[in-house]
């Protein structure tokens, strides 16, 4: 059986996605990157599922620290999402564009966003070019409820 690659691409791009800043910390080093492959995975305990490129800096930091945060961007924060997917000179430099507080788990939570959650890693599937991480939501900080940024509104694609 051969996969119809064109149909696969069109169909997988129909999956709706939000846009988030995933925050990571390993010792004194913090980093953050734009993530769209994110969804909820359980009500109780509250789980989130996020796929992370295996060749990214943050991938190893999540594996070693077993934690990550997810910051929910406002609908008007597209420019910030772009900062967090572009290559950076030094690890963590992207936060120059977006001040953060340390959450109760020590992870970066943006000061200006809808809010953010901190998660402890409870599972992973490493198969292919991304690892699917499952995180249990341990803290939640709501700054100001409002419309969140989604991938479709940006004209960007990540998927297919
Ligand atoms: C629209 C968009 C969505 C993205 N979504 C993800 C994602 O869900 N998971 C991921 O690992 N990378 C995603 N990326 C790519 C990362 O943001 C990018 O590789 C980043 O540079 C990784 O940073 P790091 O190497 O400092 O960890 C996305 C990029 C774009 C443009």
């Amino acid at each position: 059986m051969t996969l119809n690659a064109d149909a696969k691409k069109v169909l997988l791009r129909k999956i709706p996605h939000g846009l988030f800043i995933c925050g990571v910390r390993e010792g004194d080093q913090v980093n953050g990157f734009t993530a769209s492959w994110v969804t909820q995975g359980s009500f109780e305990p509250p789980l989130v599922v996020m796929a992370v490129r295996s060749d990214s800096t943050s991938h190893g930091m999540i594996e070693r620290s077993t934690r990550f945060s997810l910051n929910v961007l406002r609908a008007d924060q597209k420019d910030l999402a772009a900062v967090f997917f572009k290559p950076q000179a030094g690890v963590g430099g992207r936060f120059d564009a977006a001040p953060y507080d340390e959450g109760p788990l020590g992870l970066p939570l943006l000061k200006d966003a809808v809010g953010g959650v901190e998660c402890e890693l409870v599972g992973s599937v490493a198969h292919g070019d991304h690892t699917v991480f499952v995180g249990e939501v341990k803290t939640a900080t709501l700054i100001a409820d409002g419309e969140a940024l989604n991938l479709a509104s940006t004209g960007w694609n990540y998927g297919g």
Side-chain angles (χ1 to χ4, degrees):
M1 198 185 315
T2 50
L3 175 65
N4 180 332
D6 292 337
K8 181 264 302 175
K9 183 172 174 178
V10 169
L11 292 167
L12 293 187
R13 284 188 173 183
K14 301 294 184 199
I15 300 173
H17 291 290
L19 272 175
F20 309 87
I21 304 301
C22 175
V24 295
R25 167 181 294 281
E26 189 178 16
D28 289 342
Q29 204 166 51
V30 293
N31 197 31
F33 69 99
T34 300
S36 56
W37 288 359
V38 173
T39 192
Q40 183 162 356
S42 161
F43 282 122
E44 194 53 50
L47 300 180
V48 291
V49 178
M50 172 177 64
V52 180
R53 283 175 60 137
S54 13
D55 63 357
S56 70
T57 302
S58 303
H59 182 278
M61 294 176 75
I62 293 171
E63 275 188 329
R64 292 185 294 270
S65 68
T66 68
R67 287 177 178 183
F68 61 88
S69 64
L70 278 172
N71 294 273
V72 178
L73 294 178
R74 282 197 317 270
D76 63 359
Q77 290 182 301
K78 177 181 176 183
D79 291 350
L80 198 54
V83 169
F84 278 81
F85 65 62
K86 288 183 182 146
Q88 55 183 339
V91 174
R94 293 168 179 143
F95 283 112
D96 291 347
Y100 65 89
D101 290 317
E102 275 183 22
L105 295 188
L107 293 160
L109 293 176
L110 297 183
K111 286 179 186 282
D112 187 24
V114 175
V117 296
E118 294 176 296
C119 305
E120 275 180 4
L121 192 64
V122 295
S124 64
V125 177
H127 185 77
D129 49 22
H130 284 58
T131 295
V132 178
F133 288 121
V134 180
E136 183 171 337
V137 176
K138 293 295 189 179
T139 81
T141 305
L142 182 63
I143 300 169
D145 196 3
E147 196 186 338
L149 185 62
N150 64 69
L151 185 61
S153 73
T154 64
W156 302 332
N157 268 311
Y158 193 81

